[in-house]
Amino acid sequence: MTTPRTEHLVLPGVLTAEQAAETVAGIRAVQCEDGAIPWFRGHHLDPWDHTEAAMALDAAGEHQAAAQAYAWLARHQNEDGSWYAAYHDGDFRRPTDLSRESNFCAYVAVGVWHHYLATGDDAFLDRMWPVVFAAIEFALRLQQPGGQIGWKREADGTPVADALLTGSSSVHHALRCALAIAAEREEPQPDWELAAGALAHAIHRHPERFLDKDRYSMDWYYPVLGGAITGTAATARIERRWEEFVVPGLGVRCVLPNPWVTGGESCELALTLWAMGESDRALEILQSIAHLRAPGGMYWTGYVFEAVGDSRRAVWPEEQTTWTAGSLLLAVAALGGDEATTAVFGGDRLPQGLPPECCTP
């Protein structure tokens, strides 16, 4: 095992160098020999969170471990470009959810672009390009006439046309990273540009095209994090519901009205704020979830901060997930100026796709 590169992962009130190394080691300890990264040992792997954890490893300089995670995806991609929604303990022979979710599959493009920027490994990009291409094509076959991306295909192949705003926003981010990969390879994909423009238009202008999930904080910030809503519109969106979702000193609620803050949502909001140029508030959010850090360097998924019925305030659920730790490391890396992470989540070097007015009436 290599020594993690943690100098840019030091953030006052969030991580010391020793704590960062401990968290990276915690993710590595969960990773299976074949590269799979489940939530925690004995639980399932899903391809989105597997990729998020791999990106965190790259941000810490653990490039070989991250490459093994991407090799796992390449080996076990389905013929249609997808992966199943869940695999027991990362065992490709034991899928536990045979549906195939569009945003779970597309996210490989974000991870592959991040790894390439972190390593400059042209051979890796060559190997992973067919994987990315097939995954993006799988997701885009679920795109609806209004631009939104259908949620998934059921186990029997039936497409689910209903679209999730968070999932579609994640696909928008993945499309932009896929376009960056295509540009790097000098293989332009004009259909992807059209799809990205239509998708951004739907996210920005047509909330009615998505299932109503506005109780969830992810639907609040993900259109900004995914790069579909920017500038003053992004600022207005975040300000409008700040007091509903942010619990000072504790983190970000997962879903209203539940008195439950979660580490993943808190770290993703911090990334969103950083991308908007609000590093001070991003730091405050990350500092507020220090109470979720567990002995050994991993992070509890969430915390119930008010008694509900007979239940008391408590860590819940009692699990420490690789993706929660990974999202924290990525947020810290962005604030710390890690070049690959800032490029992927800052968006300055990502193609925008064609203007939405060119793509959707």
mmCIF file of all heavy atoms in Angstrom, residues 17-18 65 71 140 280 288:
data_model
loop_
_atom_site.group_PDB
_atom_site.id
_atom_site.type_symbol
_atom_site.label_atom_id
_atom_site.label_comp_id
_atom_site.label_asym_id
_atom_site.label_seq_id
_atom_site.Cartn_x
_atom_site.Cartn_y
_atom_site.Cartn_z
ATOM 1 N N ALA A 17 -3.483 16.008 8.675
ATOM 2 C CA ALA A 17 -2.849 15.075 7.744
ATOM 3 C C ALA A 17 -3.008 13.639 8.237
ATOM 4 O O ALA A 17 -3.274 12.723 7.448
ATOM 5 C CB ALA A 17 -1.381 15.427 7.571
ATOM 6 N N GLU A 18 -2.875 13.455 9.551
ATOM 7 C CA GLU A 18 -2.998 12.106 10.107
ATOM 8 C C GLU A 18 -4.426 11.598 9.966
ATOM 9 O O GLU A 18 -4.655 10.420 9.638
ATOM 10 C CB GLU A 18 -2.585 12.118 11.587
ATOM 11 C CG GLU A 18 -1.110 12.397 11.826
ATOM 12 C CD GLU A 18 -0.740 13.867 11.662
ATOM 13 O OE1 GLU A 18 -1.672 14.732 11.636
ATOM 14 O OE2 GLU A 18 0.459 14.160 11.539
ATOM 15 N N ALA A 65 -4.849 1.895 -6.560
ATOM 16 C CA ALA A 65 -6.100 1.376 -5.996
ATOM 17 C C ALA A 65 -7.294 1.894 -6.785
ATOM 18 O O ALA A 65 -8.253 1.153 -7.043
ATOM 19 C CB ALA A 65 -6.215 1.782 -4.526
ATOM 20 N N ALA A 71 -10.922 -0.824 -13.214
ATOM 21 C CA ALA A 71 -10.775 -2.097 -13.920
ATOM 22 C C ALA A 71 -11.918 -3.046 -13.559
ATOM 23 O O ALA A 71 -12.389 -3.824 -14.404
ATOM 24 C CB ALA A 71 -9.424 -2.731 -13.580
ATOM 25 N N LEU A 140 -28.305 7.538 -22.343
ATOM 26 C CA LEU A 140 -29.008 8.395 -23.301
ATOM 27 C C LEU A 140 -30.145 7.664 -24.015
ATOM 28 O O LEU A 140 -31.060 8.321 -24.522
ATOM 29 C CB LEU A 140 -28.019 8.969 -24.315
ATOM 30 C CG LEU A 140 -27.048 10.009 -23.740
ATOM 31 C CD1 LEU A 140 -26.171 10.583 -24.837
ATOM 32 C CD2 LEU A 140 -27.795 11.120 -23.007
ATOM 33 N N ASP A 280 -15.966 29.829 2.106
ATOM 34 C CA ASP A 280 -16.133 30.009 3.549
ATOM 35 C C ASP A 280 -17.327 29.210 4.060
ATOM 36 O O ASP A 280 -17.239 28.520 5.080
ATOM 37 C CB ASP A 280 -16.298 31.489 3.897
ATOM 38 C CG ASP A 280 -15.002 32.277 3.721
ATOM 39 O OD1 ASP A 280 -13.938 31.646 3.617
ATOM 40 O OD2 ASP A 280 -15.067 33.523 3.688
ATOM 41 N N SER A 288 -18.999 21.361 10.385
ATOM 42 C CA SER A 288 -20.190 21.035 11.178
ATOM 43 C C SER A 288 -20.434 19.537 11.302
ATOM 44 O O SER A 288 -21.211 19.113 12.164
ATOM 45 C CB SER A 288 -21.429 21.713 10.577
ATOM 46 O OG SER A 288 -21.864 21.059 9.396
#
